[in-house]
Amino acid sequence: MGYRAKKAVVAASLLALSTAFETVSKRSPEMRAEIARWNDGRAFAMGVLPRGPAITMRNEGGRLRYAGPGYHDPDVKILFKNVDNALLPLTGRIGADIAFVQHRAALHGEVAHGMQTSRALAIVQTYLLPGFILRRTFKRPPRLSARQWFLKAWVMGTLPFGMAVNFAKR
Amino acid sequence: MIPEYYEFACPTKIISGFKALSNLPYEMSLLGAARALVVTDQGVAGAGLIKRVHAVFEGADGVIGAVYDETPVDSGSEAVRAVADAYRGHECDCLVAVGGGSCIDTAKGALIVLAEDSADLKAYQGAERFNKPTCPFIVVPTTAGTGSEATLAAVIRDEATRTKMALTSYRLFPDVAILDPKMTVTMPPHITAATGMDALTHAVEAYCSLQKNPMSDAFSQAAIRLIMRHLIDCVRNGGDEQARLAMANAALFAGISFSNAMIGVVHALAHACGGVCRIPHGVANAVLLPWGMEYNAGKAGDALAALGPVLGADATVTGAIGAVRDLRARLGELCGLPETLGAAGVEAEQLDAIARVAIDDGSVTYNPEDVTYDDALGILKNAL
């Protein structure tokens, strides 16, 4: 796969994540509990160095909103060192923890905020990724309740529409 | 087994041995420096160790431009700014940290301030955020535990927000680490024990970390062997320079290991104990290490069992944990090192706050087992 194709896959994956963050933060009690202690307006970004795709998410009233592509004054940045390093976790081949463990990503910003962002990302991945990937990439794969299975179906079902809406924000 | 991917770095020149400190002026000259700012604290100065540093400059080309001896127990942003001001004010051209982790981390913070010409350390929190060349930097540790003389990390308290800033950059590796047993012989037994257990925790956690690699494993094993052989001797007889030199090397090896493999749940909890209850870092590590090993036994059982013989026990998880508990008990008998969090001064009501802080610690990422709030609280209750 060439650079442009990899970049397109990463951009699409980030867009899917942005949509899932919005849906899950609206409907998941676990996610709402996780971001309850975040300051209103706190933002985080995920992107690819040096000038690759990126998204920014912002906490607005206890829900995460897509602030658009690129970096919009984030408090925390999760930066993949190149597009290959971004592809591995974004396509479920390695977990987010392992991306840091293998130096594929660097955290810019307060570490505590980075850890909170990482936990929020794990919650979103629970709803976004299939079970066989979760079993491979999570230290302790989640066991979903009936409510969580329903939300997972909702997240997957609304994903294309949400991605289209967020794509239009560029 | 070789990991599918790893990185390893240790660009620090190591000078270890009797009268190693005498080489300080020569090492400065090799780095193109001639006027040092010595960063230390009142305890080190009061123990007469700065006099030793002054003495080695007799007849040398280099000089000590100034001594900053106001480093607080927890390195802070104000001390960092004061060091940078002293460096500029006395027209120094290199930093020489003489002390424990706080002095070394304060000097690392000053490296950033001087290189970036910015006093706002918050802007550099996280990993690999500054890349400008730094001034020559030499470290002379006076404790044998922190390992900061060979790491790329610094933890500095932000007095304005009362939070701890974690900064990592390959630019923060010291150019030279000088291990001279004369510089650690004045450590009292209880600090010798606590800092030694800190080094042991670095080595064990790095060996079980998700980021472990063959290089870090070798340094961890070397560190653990030295600690098991010499820590008790250092506590019994602080003037035993052979044992002191061995422990200085052990702490350095453990520092190299964890700088590359990182640490885990024990350090996450120990950092939180320090932040919430002001428990000395080495004491918290000593109490929590066996509990952390037990917690990780499911995911890191093979690594822990392999450490058994290195720790002087059989090649089982229970053997490895038992050896650590035995060492801690002996240190408790010799110098009163606490064996429980309660004995160290932690109250049951504080466990909730400690657990909440611990799960936001970056060390959790590298721990083999997942660590939730409930998990952290469970370990703390066991250790209380």
Side-chain angles (χ1 to χ4, degrees):
Chain A
M1 198 190 293
Y3 174 76
R4 285 188 179 183
K6 291 175 185 173
K7 192 175 160 187
V9 172
V10 168
S13 301
L14 288 173
L15 199 62
L17 266 180
S18 73
T19 307
F21 265 119
E22 288 187 319
T23 310
V24 173
S25 69
K26 182 180 176 185
R27 297 181 181 276
S28 159
E30 300 86 12
M31 179 66 103
R32 285 205 298 273
E34 184 57 52
I35 59 179
R37 289 187 296 150
W38 295 21
N39 295 338
D40 202 38
R42 191 208 284 185
F44 67 87
M46 296 174 68
V48 182
L49 292 171
R51 286 169 294 279
I55 56 166
T56 301
M57 303 298 303
R58 190 176 304 283
N59 174 31
E60 293 178 4
R63 281 176 55 183
L64 294 173
R65 305 274 192 186
Y66 180 52
Y71 304 97
H72 300 275
D73 197 21
D75 302 277
V76 167
K77 289 184 197 170
I78 295 172
L79 297 169
F80 297 102
K81 294 178 180 176
N82 54 57
V83 74
D84 284 317
N85 285 347
L87 262 181
L88 290 169
L90 291 176
T91 54
R93 277 180 281 175
I94 62 172
D97 282 347
I98 296 298
F100 283 107
V101 163
Q102 295 185 346
H103 301 268
R104 299 185 188 278
L107 173 73
H108 286 191
E110 193 175 322
V111 172
H113 288 181
M115 294 301 292
Q116 291 158 11
T117 303
S118 182
R119 287 199 296 271
L121 175 62
I123 294 170
V124 165
Q125 287 178 319
T126 299
Y127 294 105
L128 198 56
L129 299 174
F132 75 92
I133 290 181
L134 295 176
R135 282 191 289 278
R136 201 176 60 212
T137 57
F138 273 47
K139 289 179 186 172
R140 191 184 293 161
R143 287 184 183 171
L144 300 189
S145 64
R147 173 186 60 76
Q148 289 171 315
W149 275 113
F150 179 77
L151 179 53
K152 187 162 189 157
W154 181 272
V155 169
M156 300 308 288
T158 57
L159 193 63
F161 178 72
M163 285 176 70
V165 169
N166 281 350
F167 183 77
K169 289 181 182 171
R170 44 178 73 240
Chain B
M1 195 167 73
I2 301 295
E4 63 181 60
Y5 182 95
Y6 76 92
E7 297 182 6
F8 185 91
C10 181
T12 302
K13 177 178 179 180
I14 297 157
I15 299 175
S16 164
F18 301 96
K19 302 222 179 268
L21 184 65
S22 305
N23 286 331
L24 173 56
Y26 179 73
E27 291 301 321
M28 279 172 54
S29 70
L30 289 183
L31 294 166
R35 192 173 171 82
L37 174 67
V38 173
V39 180
T40 189
D41 62 32
Q42 292 285 316
V44 172
L49 298 177
I50 299 305
K51 284 182 188 165
R52 291 184 193 274
V53 178
H54 275 289
V56 301
F57 280 89
E58 280 182 33
D61 287 337
V63 295
I64 295 177
V67 175
Y68 177 84
D69 61 4
E70 300 292 331
T71 305
V73 175
D74 282 335
S75 56
S77 49
E78 285 174 15
V80 167
R81 277 192 282 275
V83 168
D85 288 346
Y87 182 93
R88 293 189 191 102
H90 291 91
E91 298 181 335
C92 297
D93 58 11
C94 76
L95 285 172
V96 176
V98 181
S102 181
C103 295
I104 300 170
D105 283 5
T106 298
K108 287 181 176 178
L111 283 181
I112 299 173
V113 169
L114 291 165
E116 295 286 343
D117 199 19
S118 164
D120 183 17
L121 278 177
K122 285 201 293 290
Y124 304 102
Q125 285 187 97
E128 297 160 31
R129 292 194 76 177
F130 90 104
N131 297 300
K132 291 186 179 167
T134 54
C135 67
F137 179 34
I138 298 174
V139 173
V140 183
T142 60
T143 63
T146 168
S148 194
E149 63 273 19
T151 73
L152 76 176
V155 178
I156 293 162
R157 183 176 163 84
D158 179 10
E159 271 95 5
T161 59
R162 292 192 289 178
T163 55
K164 289 201 171 183
M165 299 176 285
L167 310 136
T168 65
S169 167
Y170 292 98
R171 296 282 185 185
L172 292 181
F173 276 113
D175 295 298
V176 181
I178 298 178
L179 311 183
D180 188 323
K182 281 265 190 288
M183 299 303 282
T184 58
V185 288
T186 56
M187 249 196 308
H190 67 284
I191 295 179
T192 301
T195 52
M197 289 301 288
D198 185 22
L200 181 65
T201 309
H202 291 153
V204 171
E205 288 217 284
Y207 196 82
C208 298
S209 160
L210 290 177
Q211 199 168 295
K212 79 202 291 286
N213 60 68
M215 300 284 282
S216 68
D217 282 356
F219 279 102
S220 276
Q221 291 193 11
I224 292 167
R225 284 197 180 92
L226 287 171
I227 293 164
M228 298 307 286
R229 200 173 302 154
H230 297 287
L231 178 55
I232 295 288
D233 292 340
C234 284
V235 172
R236 276 198 184 125
N237 176 14
D240 182 342
E241 292 191 12
Q242 290 283 358
R244 289 292 194 185
L245 185 61
M247 278 305 299
N249 275 269
L252 176 98
F253 296 163
I256 293 170
S257 181
F258 92 78
S259 186
N260 287 281
M262 302 305 285
I263 39 189
V265 65
V266 177
H267 267 81
L269 292 166
H271 291 152
C273 286
V276 174
C277 315
R278 297 275 169 187
I279 304 298
H281 181 61
V283 171
N285 274 334
V287 171
L288 291 161
L289 178 56
W291 296 109
M293 293 166 78
E294 268 189 18
Y295 181 75
N296 285 325
K299 290 279 175 70
D302 289 346
L304 285 167
L307 280 186
V310 185
L311 286 156
D314 56 4
T316 62
V317 174
T318 49
I321 296 171
V324 172
R325 286 212 162 99
D326 288 347
L327 175 65
R328 195 183 59 187
R330 290 180 71 192
L331 292 170
E333 289 164 12
L334 284 170
C335 64
L337 186 72
E339 292 191 53
T340 65
L341 288 178
V346 176
E347 307 284 344
E349 306 81 64
Q350 294 174 306
L351 299 187
D352 169 71
I354 296 171
R356 289 204 183 283
V357 173
I359 60 169
D360 283 346
D361 191 288
S363 310
V364 165
T365 302
Y366 307 94
N367 195 66
E369 180 58 272
D370 200 12
V371 183
T372 64
Y373 164 79
D374 289 334
D375 298 325
L377 192 60
I379 298 171
L380 291 167
K381 283 179 176 171
N382 287 337
L384 188 65

